[in-house]
Amino acid sequence: MLPIRVLIIEDDRRIAEINRRFVEKVNGYEVVGIATNAEEARGLTEVLRSDVLLLDVYFPDMNGLSFLKWVREHFSDIDIIMITAAREVDVLKQALHGGVFDYIIKPIMFDRFVETLNRYKEYYDKMQRWVKEKEWIGQEDVDALIGREVSVKEQPMLPKGIQPLTLEKVLAVVRQCPEGITAEEVGRQIGTSRTTARRYLEYLVSIDQVTADITYGSVGRPERVYKKKM
């Protein structure tokens, strides 16, 4: 699959370069351009037609919220992530009304930035696949797309040996490891045995909240690796 193409719109060249380096540390992305003023922003948006914009609010010659509206009017297929020092509630409200995917407040924390890009990639990949494969969607599809997690408490009845609190802890650990995690690692993090952790993980697989795959360690011993279902 082709990488997600990113256009950075930020008037501070130093911050723009930091953002570029952050993006390039995340698999599946490439920065296709950097715009530092209104003219460059409009020109590069029109020419490059990137998949997503990283957009600031405050510029000497434009307002990022106004640019957001312009993008929505002319390029509705381009997604936008706001990265800004703006902390005003009204600015956030306008950005959300404009349909931004996320709103990150400067100074950027790398882990928070990566979490956003990983979520966006899940969303982007899923939408690309659905456009090709689906004509209709169900509620479960919408819930998965917008990131609504079905709480384990919403399960009608848990089987014997599965406790809600422990199940929530196991699911939380898996969510924090997008590259996958073994039962032994989960058990170590939540303070249970590998066998107990695996029982909970296999239950999550059975209710379609986690996937499992086989990998081979350095000594060739196969292990099941669990990942949050996309």
Side-chain angles (χ1 to χ4, degrees):
M1 186 174 291
L2 294 175
I4 296 172
R5 302 168 69 251
V6 180
L7 172 59
I8 297 171
I9 303 178
E10 163 66 58
D11 69 303
D12 187 320
R13 291 187 179 276
R14 180 183 60 85
I15 294 177
E17 178 61 22
I18 291 173
N19 291 350
R20 181 188 67 78
R21 293 182 181 182
F22 279 2
V23 171
E24 291 177 348
K25 289 179 181 292
V26 182
N27 290 333
Y29 284 87
E30 69 170 340
V31 175
V32 294
I34 294 176
T36 60
N37 56 55
E39 182 179 358
E40 290 179 352
R42 287 185 179 244
L44 291 180
T45 299
E46 291 174 337
V47 172
L48 297 176
R49 297 296 297 271
S50 62
D51 300 305
V52 61
L53 307 180
L54 303 187
L55 176 63
D56 196 1
V57 171
Y58 300 127
F59 292 83
D61 59 347
M62 75 172 186
N63 182 288
L65 293 174
S66 298
F67 187 78
L68 167 62
K69 294 178 182 178
W70 177 80
V71 173
R72 284 287 165 261
E73 291 172 359
H74 295 86
F75 305 100
S76 60
D77 58 331
I78 297 179
D79 292 310
I80 297 174
I81 297 171
M82 301 295 291
I83 299 181
T84 177
R87 294 172 177 266
E88 298 90 337
V89 173
D90 185 59
V91 173
L92 170 62
K93 184 177 180 180
Q94 291 184 62
L96 293 175
H97 282 176
V100 299
F101 181 82
D102 203 352
Y103 190 99
I104 300 176
I105 297 176
K106 297 176 182 178
I108 301 173
M109 303 298 292
F110 179 68
D111 289 346
R112 175 65 173 81
F113 185 79
V114 170
E115 185 266 335
T116 291
L117 292 189
N118 284 333
R119 281 195 300 111
Y120 179 75
K121 188 174 189 306
E122 287 186 14
Y123 161 83
Y124 178 88
D125 290 347
K126 193 169 295 182
M127 285 298 295
Q128 294 297 307
R129 187 169 64 251
W130 285 1
V131 166
K132 296 177 180 178
E133 300 174 359
K134 287 179 177 282
E135 183 177 1
W136 305 96
I137 58 172
Q139 185 63 59
E140 68 279 5
D141 296 319
V142 176
D143 291 344
L145 183 67
I146 65 176
R148 179 184 182 273
E149 304 291 349
V150 179
S151 170
V152 295
K153 297 176 183 177
E154 294 180 40
Q155 298 299 323
M157 182 178 295
L158 295 176
K160 185 177 180 179
I162 301 293
Q163 300 298 319
L165 182 58
T166 303
L167 190 59
E168 291 282 5
K169 289 180 180 179
V170 171
L171 187 54
V173 170
V174 176
R175 288 173 182 158
Q176 294 169 8
C177 301
E179 301 303 317
I181 189 168
T182 65
E184 184 174 355
E185 292 168 330
V186 171
R188 188 182 305 119
Q189 291 198 38
I190 68 172
T192 65
S193 68
R194 175 182 176 275
T195 302
T196 297
R198 179 164 184 170
R199 182 170 71 249
Y200 280 85
L201 287 163
E202 291 297 331
Y203 174 70
L204 289 170
V205 171
S206 74
I207 63 173
D208 211 29
Q209 293 210 27
V210 167
T211 63
D213 200 1
I214 299 293
T215 188
Y216 292 87
S218 57
V219 295
R221 181 169 63 89
E223 287 186 301
R224 280 172 74 79
V225 174
Y226 301 87
K227 297 181 181 181
K228 175 70 181 66
K229 186 161 184 181
M230 295 178 62

